[in-house]
Amino acid sequence: AVIVEDIPLLVESQMAPMFPLVVIVHADADLRVTRLIEYRGFTEEDARARIAAQASEEQRRAVADVWLDNSGSAGDLVAKARALWHDRIQPFAHNLQARRPARAQPVLAAADPDWPAQAKRILARLNTACGHRASRIDHIGSTAVAGMDAKDVIDVQVTVDSLEAADELDDAFLAAGYVRTGVTADVGKPDARSTQAQFDHTDDQSLWDKRLYSSADPGRPTHVHVRVAGWPGQQFALLFVDWLRANPDARSDYAALKRRVATGVTDSDAYAAAKEPWFLDAYRRAWAWADSTGWRPAE
């Protein structure tokens, strides 16, 4: 079933991360004042005082997965709500019921300045879902690098103490809108090691094990990589973003690779596999940079 919670003070109560999808219905302040006077019998002074005591538009936008404009007629809003139901909410519910991730096409999109804000909402939702079982949750991948073109898929890493702890999160992820996939490991990078690495990357493939969840929401494709603290895959996910941010040449190389790959593949698995040879070399380059700069994961 789809359950709709109608919460007037959702932002003020800080409850937004408790829900898989947050819809904000908005009208400008002057229009709200007019409606409060006309339909609720408020004076203008009381109406403006009520609005001033509530969350700002900026605060509402920060938690909104969907922003519905309510400046028109009631009929206009009904039409928007019906479209939202059929295009996003109902497919989301069906995907969850079937334990099926939303499909994401391997299409390279122009860098979106809104990706960090979208990721921030996802991190808040996952932080609420995971609680103490996650030691950190990070926005990773290309969408975490300002100005970089990428697939319109947000990648997030949840760091846990063990794979057993990762498996304990299945129900929590499902309640938050994420379904488990069959991916259980990253592709190991056997030809590289770092003086900063806690583990010998050349010997134990099991240190590249992980759990991967994907969003069932067709409106916001998301991959959630659950990795163990200190294991090479977990460390590299954090390093890779910082390395790209700090090295324009590396960003250019990676962007050129993605443009080449995106023109020749038709599904996400093939897209990821086609990039893997480049990552073998990038792994060595990134760790060399980390060793030369004294890099450590940010708190």
Side-chain angles (χ1 to χ4, degrees):
V2 175
I3 299 172
V4 179
E5 300 266 7
D6 181 11
I7 305 177
L9 298 178
L10 176 74
V11 180
E12 293 84 345
S13 62
Q14 300 183 350
M15 293 174 65
M18 297 172 57
F19 300 97
L21 190 71
V22 173
V23 181
I24 297 292
V25 182
H26 176 78
D28 289 339
D30 287 343
L31 180 54
R32 279 183 274 161
V33 168
T34 299
R35 288 172 175 172
L36 284 170
I37 293 171
E38 182 176 355
Y39 300 116
R40 301 280 294 277
F42 278 59
T43 65
E44 180 174 350
E45 182 181 7
D46 287 343
R48 293 196 181 279
R50 169 75 67 94
I51 290 170
Q54 295 175 349
S56 67
E57 178 177 339
E58 181 182 10
Q59 290 170 321
R60 286 192 172 101
R61 285 190 181 275
V63 304
D65 298 301
V66 178
W67 187 261
L68 284 187
D69 177 21
N70 188 23
S71 60
S73 68
D76 291 337
L77 185 62
V78 167
K80 293 172 184 175
R82 288 186 182 277
L84 174 63
W85 173 266
H86 289 294
D87 296 342
R88 186 164 182 177
I89 296 175
Q90 198 168 46
F92 192 173
H94 288 167
N95 286 340
L96 281 176
Q97 186 177 35
R99 304 295 194 269
R100 178 179 59 223
R103 298 295 297 175
Q105 298 299 320
V107 176
L108 204 60
D112 187 343
D114 194 44
W115 279 335
Q118 295 175 28
K120 189 174 181 179
R121 289 195 290 274
I122 294 167
L123 265 59
R125 188 168 286 135
L126 291 173
N127 187 58
T128 298
C130 296
H132 68 279
R133 287 168 293 193
S135 58
R136 64 183 297 155
I137 304 177
D138 297 275
H139 182 196
I140 61 170
S142 298
T143 59
V145 181
M148 172 156 277
D149 296 349
K151 288 192 303 175
D152 188 18
V153 179
I154 302 292
D155 282 281
V156 172
Q157 177 170 268
V158 174
T159 298
V160 294
D161 292 335
S162 66
L163 289 179
E164 290 75 20
D167 292 334
E168 291 173 0
L169 290 169
D170 272 3
D171 290 342
F173 279 129
L174 189 63
Y178 301 90
V179 298
R180 186 164 172 171
T181 74
V183 176
T184 59
D186 293 308
V187 177
K189 310 293 188 295
D191 297 327
R193 67 176 68 217
S194 165
T195 57
Q196 304 214 33
Q198 183 178 351
F199 296 96
D200 184 346
H201 295 190
T202 61
D203 295 333
D204 192 348
Q205 176 62 35
S206 70
L207 295 178
W208 292 91
D209 287 352
K210 70 173 182 181
R211 302 292 182 260
L212 179 66
Y213 296 80
S214 292
S215 176
D217 177 8
R220 180 60 274 160
T222 306
H223 295 323
V224 182
H225 309 259
V226 186
R227 298 186 175 104
V228 176
W231 285 14
Q234 186 264 350
Q235 292 285 289
F236 182 58
L238 301 176
L239 167 62
F240 186 64
V241 172
D242 287 348
W243 176 59
L244 288 180
R245 287 172 176 167
N247 292 274
D249 288 345
R251 289 199 304 275
S252 296
D253 287 350
Y254 190 37
L257 168 75
K258 291 196 291 184
R259 286 192 292 271
R260 291 195 303 271
V261 170
T263 60
V265 298
T266 57
D267 64 77
S268 295
D269 290 340
Y271 178 82
K275 295 191 299 180
E276 196 55 41
W278 182 86
F279 269 96
L280 289 173
D281 182 58
Y283 188 77
R284 289 189 290 266
R285 292 165 61 194
W287 273 115
W289 173 82
D291 291 340
S292 68
T293 60
W295 174 88
R296 291 287 190 280
E299 293 295 331

